[in-house]
Amino acid sequence: MATRQSLFLINFCKQLNTIVQDRCKDRVISMIRMGYSTVSNIDQTYIPRRTVMYVPGHDPKKLKKIPNLGVDCAVLECEDGVAINMKVQARKNIREALEYLIVKNVDLALRVNSCSSQLMEDDLGAIIGSDIGEPAKVERLPQTILLPKLDHVQELVTFTERLKSVKLNRKYCPYLITYVESTQGLMNMRDIMKQAAKYSEEGIFRMDGVVFGSDDFVADIGADRTSDAKELIYARQKIIAIAKAFRLQVIDMVHVDIEDLEGLKRTSIEGAKMGYTGKQVIHPKQIQTVQEAFTPSPVKVKWAHELIEGFEQHQKSGKGAFVFRGQMIDMPLLRQAKNILRVVENVHRPS
Ligand SMILES: CC(C)(COP(=O)(O)OP(=O)(O)OC[C@H]1O[C@@H](n2cnc3c(N)ncnc32)[C@H](O)[C@@H]1OP(=O)(O)O)[C@@H](O)C(=O)NCCC(=O)NCCSC(=O)C[C@H](O)C(=O)O
Ligand SMILES: [Mg+2]
């Protein structure tokens, strides 16, 4: 028969269990409210964007090259790659290009101008809406929209309202990738991502990534651009941390010296090791180097497969940690190995 003390102990344990469960539930709810995703990336559709290449909209010759570039993401550019007096022509060319371009395994994206430029509305009206002719079928619209220089939540609200109005009742839900290009944008990034997560839940767009606009960022902080990018390290790191908290892809800075392929290789590998999932590209010469840097090597893939196999075997025999190729392996290493395989499974290698 249970004594008074043991009954007290049983009750105490039950109450403790309830408190712990409630605390846990509260934490999950508050994380969702804060905008953080609790689901693993592994279950989401993954569009590889190792190379994010700008193709200026004013240049039809360059636009025609898109199917043969071999990039993951081709950006139909309306912003800084297009002179102010060529914006109207660029919009026309892009609309035409969207009709004739046939691409396989390429994310066809549109970079509009920033909200602060007051050109964004006309970009969306002309290319997505009906400002210059019959609205295009959903299959002919860009799969992804890139929104640069996003400094404040209010700008995302303005963009979203305009996007809603140019959808014209079509079922169009593009991926959205936004840019951090200033100290304001960096400071407000978390709030902007929270708002973007809300709009994604409403089905207006699918928030999918963040780009580090390093050149504009350098100008904003008044730094000198150096080859090892020391002046950018804080922003470069912080953007990864926030983007990953929201389970987003994160695209690294552009390498403006087109002839410097060594420097491009070094910074690409560095970016990939830091956690970036891809890099901005401006010239065909840069594509192969960047694509390779963001593709796990066959050696790394073999390591990941063998580690996962070893992990599963050790789990069955009741061991959480074990030694593999001289390294202590436990759950974090398993997650790293799975990250590698996720990239490999989703990238399209040339046959
Ligand atoms: C920089 C360029 C203007 C150079 O163009 P061009 O003078 O034509 O170069 P080449 O003669 O060496 O080109 C060789 C061939 O390759 C084709 N080419 C070149 N660039 C592209 C491209 N981007 N897309 C498609 N095809 C391209 C040429 O047509 C030549 O073809 P052929 O004649 O048949 O041999 C040009 O590269 C360019 O415009 N690049 C993009 C510039 C741009 O969009 N910049 C803005 C994006 S970067 C950014 O915004 C950073 C970020 O926001 C931040 O703040 O950090
Ligand atoms: Mg920029």
Side-chain angles (χ1 to χ4, degrees):
M1 211 166 79
T3 62
R4 275 184 70 168
Q5 279 102 331
S6 57
L7 273 175
F8 172 79
L9 203 62
I10 289 165
N11 266 336
F12 175 78
C13 286
K14 272 187 188 160
Q15 278 178 26
L16 191 66
N17 194 25
T18 313
I19 290 169
V20 169
Q21 278 181 358
D22 280 355
R23 287 258 164 93
C24 235
K25 202 169 70 195
D26 284 352
R27 238 186 92 207
V28 172
I29 290 169
S30 78
M31 270 183 78
I32 293 168
R33 283 203 190 119
M34 282 161 74
Y36 292 114
S37 167
T38 52
V39 289
S40 150
N41 242 4
I42 289 159
D43 302 329
Q44 294 171 15
T45 312
Y46 187 84
I47 314 276
R49 295 188 186 91
R50 294 166 295 175
T51 34
V52 174
M53 169 135 179
Y54 298 97
V55 185
H58 64 269
D59 191 337
K61 193 176 145 205
K62 288 187 172 53
L63 291 170
K64 288 202 177 90
K65 288 178 186 288
I66 287 177
N68 300 318
L69 288 172
V71 289
D72 285 347
C73 175
V75 181
L76 303 161
E77 163 71 334
C78 284
E79 205 220 5
D80 288 347
V82 175
I84 195 81
N85 60 357
M86 291 302 284
K87 300 282 185 193
V88 173
Q89 187 60 47
R91 290 177 194 133
K92 279 191 194 147
N93 294 347
I94 290 173
R95 265 206 75 141
E96 279 170 26
L98 284 164
E99 287 295 333
Y100 69 70
L101 280 175
I102 298 172
V103 288
K104 214 175 148 220
N105 297 334
V106 180
D107 176 35
L108 212 46
L110 165 71
R111 179 161 83 162
V112 294
N113 285 279
S114 66
C115 297
S116 58
S117 70
Q118 300 189 344
L119 294 166
M120 176 277 295
E121 283 85 351
D122 285 351
D123 294 337
L124 286 183
I127 297 164
I128 312 291
S130 57
D131 286 6
I132 53 168
E134 285 292 299
K137 289 198 178 107
V138 170
E139 319 76 87
R140 305 311 309 169
L141 294 176
Q143 179 174 238
T144 302
I145 298 181
L146 274 56
L147 181 60
K149 299 185 179 68
L150 191 51
D151 292 346
H152 305 284
V153 175
Q154 186 51 46
E155 290 173 333
L156 183 64
V157 177
T158 306
F159 166 81
T160 306
E161 286 309 310
R162 182 62 180 154
L163 179 63
K164 276 175 21 190
S165 81
V166 298
K167 278 187 179 185
L168 303 167
N169 296 324
R170 289 165 297 176
K171 281 202 169 68
Y172 175 53
C173 186
Y175 290 99
L176 181 70
I177 296 183
T178 61
Y179 284 63
V180 176
E181 311 203 54
S182 70
T183 47
Q184 290 283 325
L186 188 62
M187 225 169 42
N188 296 327
M189 184 178 171
R190 183 169 161 262
D191 291 339
I192 292 171
M193 294 304 117
K194 274 167 62 178
Q195 186 62 40
K198 249 165 110 183
Y199 286 139
S200 295
E201 266 173 38
E202 289 169 25
I204 302 163
F205 51 71
R206 289 169 280 183
M207 186 63 200
D208 210 31
V210 178
V211 178
F212 180 25
S214 56
D215 276 18
D216 275 297
F217 193 86
V218 164
D220 195 49
I221 61 172
D224 257 355
R225 193 72 171 82
T226 63
S227 59
D228 60 7
K230 266 206 185 94
E231 67 285 357
L232 292 171
I233 192 71
Y234 170 71
R236 206 171 165 207
Q237 191 76 65
K238 184 168 176 175
I239 290 167
I240 298 172
I242 302 179
K244 295 287 169 100
F246 287 89
R247 299 286 178 259
L248 299 170
Q249 293 184 26
V250 58
I251 312 297
D252 203 5
M253 54 195 194
V254 76
H255 195 78
V256 287
D257 188 345
I258 294 165
E259 300 305 324
D260 174 29
L261 293 183
E262 266 311 302
L264 176 69
K265 186 175 177 183
R266 181 173 40 76
T267 54
S268 301
I269 292 172
E270 185 183 76
K273 282 186 188 294
M274 286 173 77
Y276 278 94
T277 52
K279 189 172 178 70
Q280 299 166 83
V281 169
I282 46 172
H283 192 278
K285 274 186 188 167
Q286 299 183 317
I287 298 168
Q288 198 186 343
T289 305
V290 174
Q291 202 89 326
E292 276 171 19
F294 286 91
T295 309
S297 68
V299 173
K300 206 76 189 153
V301 175
K302 190 165 180 276
W303 171 86
H305 275 300
E306 288 177 7
L307 185 148
I308 292 169
E309 208 181 294
F311 188 89
E312 281 163 3
Q313 278 167 12
H314 283 85
Q315 282 285 307
K316 277 184 200 146
S317 59
K319 285 186 193 157
F322 65 102
V323 177
F324 171 71
R325 297 191 189 174
Q327 271 191 324
M328 189 279 289
I329 304 296
D330 59 3
M331 211 44 123
L333 265 295
L334 178 77
R335 288 181 62 203
Q336 287 173 30
K338 284 188 173 172
N339 281 344
I340 289 165
L341 296 191
R342 182 169 64 103
V343 175
V344 172
E345 278 157 18
N346 284 287
V347 295
H348 314 284
R349 289 159 185 282
S351 50

